[in-house]
Amino acid sequence: MERKEFLGRVRQAMSTADLPLRSEVAPGALLGDLRIDNLLDRFVERATDVNCAVKVIEATDALDHVISIMREYGADEYLGWADSQMPIPGIGAGLIANGFSPRPFEVPSEDRLHHQSAYYDLVVGVTGADGGLAESGSMVLIHGVNRSRMASLIPEVHVALLPASMIVESLSHWAASRPESLTASVNLVVITGPSRTGDIEMHLTQGVHGPRHVHVLVLKDR
Amino acid sequence: MTIEPVTFLGRVKRDRESGVVIPVSEAARRMSAYRVAASVDFPLMEEMRDRAREVRLHTLANLDKYLAQFASQVEANGGQVHWAADGDEANAIIRQIADDNDVRTVVKSKSMVTEEIDLNESLEAAGLSIVETDLGEFIVQLSGDKPSHIIAPVLHKTRYDIGELFAAKLDRGFSTDPAELTQMAREHLRREFLTADMGISGCNMAIADTGTVVLVTNEGNGRLTTTAPRIHVTVMGMERIVPTFGDASAVLEVLARAGTGQRLSVYTNFVSGSRRHGDPDGPDAFHVVILDNGRSRTLGGQEAEILACIRCGACLNICPVYREVGGHAYGFTYPGPIGAVVTPSLKGLDEWHELPYASTLCGACVEACPVRIDIPKMLLTLRSRAATDGHLPGWLTFAIGRYATAATHPRQFRLLLKAGGVVGSMMARDGWISKAPSHGANWTGARDLPQPAKQPFHARWKARHGA
Amino acid sequence: MPLSWFQMAVQLFVTCLVDSFFPEVGEATVDVLESAGETVEFPADQTCCGQPAYNVGLRDDARKMAAHTLDVLDATDGPIVLPSGSCTDMIVHHIPELMAGDPRRAAQAERVAGRTRELSQFLVDDLGLETVGPGCGDCSVAYHPSCHGLRNLNLRTQAESLLDHTEGVQRVELPDAENCCGFGGLFSVEMPEVSVAMMETKLKNVEASGAAILVGGDVSCLMHLGGGLHRNDSAVTVKHFAEILAGRLDNAHDD
């Protein structure tokens, strides 16, 4: 069906629609009092609630923490965002200097299957996070150039570096204050804990398609 | 998707006898409890529900404008928009996209709307391999079954059923441990994800002013489906629109809380097109198929408000009828109270006139609905149309007609009560009737009926007060 | 509401089901209202509010019955009180909707709706009473809040509070109390399999509560549940809360 004809049918229907009273303008986000005294504390509490492993650390210790997580899982490779996209410099370089090797994150269109098949058994992904949502314990990741979507999606373990200063109250607050984050790239994802399912007898199981473990390293403000 | 046998009560009988209703009922209760706990935990729950409702109703009242804006924005972002009047048209469009792009394998993330239009059957008939990737839907597909709940499709299966299924179909040995079963599915499905040509997703909502599709999943299948294959096709019901990111946030704040009791689902994925120059990954092409399939008819009628539904499943979980009959009884993609309105409203009362009667009008659904849709009110308008169209049993229409006549003639009414007392006393023993004739047997099959009073209240009042 | 309204006699709308099957509940309602100091009048030409027809979709029949009900009630003054949440909901909410197309009837429906109260609502919210009447002596009861009163009239505490303030009444919690009992008007005979399944779920909770008497505010649900209890040879009996307040436990049903 053509667009014009389709929308004509919709318009026709709207003229007889039995709808309760409604606002004339789109109401937008609701920003009420969420009773949050301290954004960082609330974020840590809520991210822990959804089974993230959360640590609040000095930025200068970040590399050591990433390394220790990688060793915990016996990983010697990782898929990560480019160093330039991480909230602090030197993580990628530091990992390489410590003997870990980065997997290429570029998936060229002409050789997609070959590159993606190599992701099959990835253990660790390392990314930054562009925001934190205190109320739900979520992280916001804006994807784009040098920011692999797969890094937070395909490995068993996702390690994310989140600057404490980037934590806001809630998704509503993010949407209201950062509307441009949707148009900055073609993909933004809000991650709230490790991949999970309750599909089998409502038994909560982690790690269905996405990471089984999510480590959040919250970088303290200077 | 339709489910045999053809009558509601026939399906109820089958599913109650087989016992599949029991785990569904148990899970529904638990999910309801999670919803209540999550609502209490969130200080803005009631205000947010009002806001989300306002967003949905505002959108429906301006749907043409927002649909046009959304479509133009998707195109501006480099995506392609297709308009489908019905399921056949949508399926043909998707087959064409597959054909044009040499697609052989398809992965799908969970989507009600593609079940509504039987997309899988259509693609399989065209020779494509299509794999459901939501764990529940994957199990449904492997077993040739149908989902029984909109957000948890295999509540009706036990871990033993699933263990046997995987042992037979995945060749991975037998287990009844949900974690091990999940691991088997993970390993099996990631191969499918990483090599599929096309990913097909539904759409929880679409943001008009940015041309963004929002997908909410817990497992990550929504993200993989929209990231790994070279082509991403979103199929969306035309009512899934919200105006802005802010409006979307209000709906998202109540969606997971109402559905599973989570504050947010694990992955809220915002997709605004195919990969841009320099993006390391993501699909090369993005298509949106916007589907009517009866929705404009619904929008133009008395049940327009049902299109405000955000598909959380709260009304199923709380519904005392759903808890006794499970999801398959409703016969189509959308079960429970929402289905009792959506199905006849989308597909017509001729075939689906039983569903509006599959409710006691108890109102638990309105109380649970995050956007406060007045489902009982719509069941009543549907019943009124069903009655007008002659779908009520003749005996009932006749009986009610006679009762209405008596009730508008007080003397006749008093005689009727008196006669009832006399007849009742002939049938009763010790004040109870245990076997009533004719349609009364529908009552006395499993319940005794108290004997109608020999002296109705009218007569007693008269005896006491005169007049 | 002007004070004089409360000084007028109460108009009792007893409902067709009480009239025909449970006149003793009507008598208990009169007793309770009189103990509360009210004068009770009974408009003799009342019949049925039209709810059964309305709920199955036969709106013309429903409208006829509703119009008759409005004529009978609009000819009176003062509060209209019903021992039923469901029929009160019909008069307060649905009759005005049914009559929306006819300005004269609509105005009449609004007038009548504004005067109409469910019994516990009238006693607690309008009269401000804690409880009324002699009560039934020592008895253990569980309360089932019927759906239309609960959700459409917001009767969340009134009857329970009357019971709790009545000497001798021990109210025990009914698990899943707010879950519908499965009566649903003609649903009970159109879909008996489902109706009975819901009833059995409710009765399991009733038995689990340990109460000797299941109390409710709508005889329709009580007829359904009581019929199930009797069929199951249960020791539990059903009573309207007015019967508990009025102390009419051995109320003869068929005399």
Side-chain angles (χ1 to χ4, degrees), chain A:
Chain A
M1 187 177 258
E2 292 300 310
R3 164 180 171 139
K4 204 172 158 193
E5 193 187 347
F6 190 102
L7 291 175
R9 288 212 315 199
V10 173
R11 224 164 276 133
Q12 177 70 31
M14 283 165 55
S15 67
T16 58
D18 184 3
L19 286 168
L21 291 176
R22 58 267 172 151
S23 59
E24 287 309 307
V25 289
L30 173 72
L31 307 178
D33 179 7
L34 288 165
R35 298 179 212 151
I36 300 176
D37 297 331
N38 181 299
L39 286 171
L40 176 59
D41 292 350
R42 181 63 61 88
F43 174 85
V44 172
E45 176 206 321
R46 295 291 162 89
T48 308
D49 257 12
V50 291
N51 294 340
C52 289
V54 189
K55 278 192 177 144
V56 182
I57 60 169
E58 299 293 339
T60 45
D61 297 336
L63 178 63
D64 291 344
H65 282 278
V66 177
I67 289 172
S68 107
I69 293 167
M70 296 210 29
R71 292 208 169 118
E72 185 188 332
Y73 293 98
D76 46 20
E77 294 179 318
Y78 69 98
L79 180 67
W81 285 7
D83 243 3
S84 61
Q85 302 302 311
M86 297 295 282
I88 49 171
I91 298 293
L95 285 172
I96 292 167
N98 280 274
F100 297 98
S101 40
R103 288 277 192 92
F105 56 75
E106 298 282 355
V107 180
S109 293
E110 57 280 7
D111 200 13
R112 177 185 291 270
L113 295 191
H114 174 74
H115 273 79
Q116 285 184 168
S117 296
Y119 290 160
Y120 183 83
D121 51 1
L122 264 171
V123 178
V124 174
V126 182
T127 75
D130 300 282
L133 310 178
E135 196 274 331
S136 53
S138 314
M139 292 183 290
V140 183
L141 276 66
I142 303 170
H143 294 114
V145 179
N146 286 326
R147 291 164 162 242
S148 159
R149 297 194 205 183
M150 287 287 192
S152 62
L153 177 57
I154 200 93
E156 285 270 319
V157 183
H158 174 205
V159 185
L161 272 59
L162 167 68
S165 62
M166 303 303 283
I167 299 172
V168 300
E169 281 92 332
S170 71
L171 177 62
S172 299
H173 289 80
W174 178 277
S177 63
R178 299 287 309 277
E180 86 295 344
S181 60
L182 270 195
T183 43
S185 82
V186 297
N187 187 250
L188 176 148
V189 65
V190 178
I191 299 176
T192 310
S195 158
R196 58 178 252 181
T197 187
D199 275 351
I200 302 177
E201 294 186 7
M202 290 194 74
H203 182 98
L204 184 65
T205 305
Q206 287 183 192
V208 193
H209 301 303
R212 199 185 306 275
H213 307 281
V214 174
H215 290 262
V216 186
L217 299 175
V218 184
L219 309 177
K220 283 187 205 168
D221 296 340
R222 297 275 160 83

Side-chain angles (χ1 to χ4, degrees), chain B residues 324 357 383 407 442 451 458, chain C residues 19 47 55-56 189 201 231 253:
Chain B
E324 298 295 347
Y357 291 94
R383 288 180 184 193
N442 286 0
Q451 178 185 343
H458 267 99
Chain C
D19 201 350
T47 57
N55 281 0
V56 294
V189 288
T201 299
R231 176 65 59 91
H253 169 74

Side-chain angles (χ1 to χ4, degrees), chain B residues 138-212:
Chain B
F138 175 61
I139 294 166
V140 165
Q141 188 187 32
L142 274 187
S143 56
D145 202 345
K146 300 283 182 188
S148 57
H149 190 288
I150 62 175
I151 59 170
V154 286
L155 290 178
H156 60 287
K157 287 197 187 297
T158 65
R159 61 182 75 191
Y160 300 96
D161 299 337
I162 297 163
E164 283 173 6
L165 178 72
F166 280 11
K169 303 266 178 155
L170 300 187
D171 198 20
R172 291 287 309 263
F174 178 74
S175 171
T176 58
D177 175 33
E180 283 177 23
L181 292 168
T182 303
Q183 181 64 23
M184 290 180 196
R186 176 186 176 99
E187 288 169 15
H188 178 86
L189 286 171
R190 66 180 30 212
R191 216 180 298 279
E192 306 281 355
F193 278 124
L194 294 173
T195 58
D197 300 314
M198 182 193 265
I200 300 179
S201 74
C203 164
N204 290 84
M205 66 196 91
I207 301 174
D209 76 340
T210 56
T212 304

Side-chain angles (χ1 to χ4, degrees), chain B residues 8-9 12-13 16 29 302 318-321 323-325 354-355 357-365 367 377 380-385 387-388 392-393 395-397 400-401 403-411 413-414 417 429-435 439-440 442-461 464-465 467, chain C residues 12 14 16-27 30-31 34 40-48 52-59 61-62 64-65 68 94 97 147-148 150-152 156 176 178-180 182-201 205 220 223-224 226-228 230-232 248 252-255:
Chain B
F8 181 80
L9 289 178
V12 169
K13 192 162 179 293
R16 287 187 63 83
R29 273 164 216 277
Q302 289 173 295
I318 196 70
C319 178
V321 173
R323 288 178 180 183
E324 298 295 347
V325 306
E354 281 178 308
L355 289 187
Y357 291 94
S359 163
T360 59
L361 305 175
C362 79
C365 47
E367 222 167 50
K377 183 180 165 216
L380 284 165
T381 57
L382 285 164
R383 288 180 184 193
S384 165
R385 288 213 298 285
T388 307
L392 276 185
W395 66 269
L396 188 61
T397 312
I400 295 275
Y403 191 63
T405 304
T408 44
H409 297 83
R411 282 185 50 144
F413 188 77
R414 290 193 282 268
L417 295 196
R429 282 183 61 159
D430 301 328
W432 293 92
I433 298 169
S434 54
K435 210 169 173 187
H439 296 288
N442 286 0
W443 181 280
T444 54
R447 291 158 290 198
D448 291 333
L449 180 70
Q451 178 185 343
K454 281 184 232 161
Q455 289 278 338
F457 184 81
H458 267 99
R460 294 189 190 196
W461 177 272
R464 195 155 130 182
H465 296 86
Chain C
L12 174 64
V14 79
C16 60
L17 211 52
V18 165
D19 201 350
S20 54
F21 279 87
F22 302 95
E24 64 277 12
V25 171
E27 292 177 328
V30 175
D31 287 359
E34 288 178 351
V40 180
E41 291 178 358
F42 178 69
D45 282 346
Q46 63 181 268
T47 57
C48 166
Y54 181 71
N55 281 0
V56 294
L58 293 166
R59 293 204 170 180
D61 288 332
K64 277 203 292 201
M65 288 190 263
H68 174 77
H94 299 302
E97 282 166 21
C147 300
H148 291 166
L150 178 75
R151 300 201 178 85
N152 302 352
R156 299 200 180 247
D176 256 347
E178 296 191 354
N179 205 35
C180 175
F183 170 66
L186 288 161
F187 175 83
S188 62
V189 288
E190 285 179 293
M191 298 205 171
E193 297 87 342
V194 187
S195 174
V196 166
M198 293 165 74
M199 175 189 83
E200 295 295 354
T201 299
N205 286 321
S220 50
M223 179 166 87
H224 164 76
H230 192 260
R231 176 65 59 91
N232 296 350
R248 297 177 68 128
H253 169 74
D254 55 346
D255 65 7

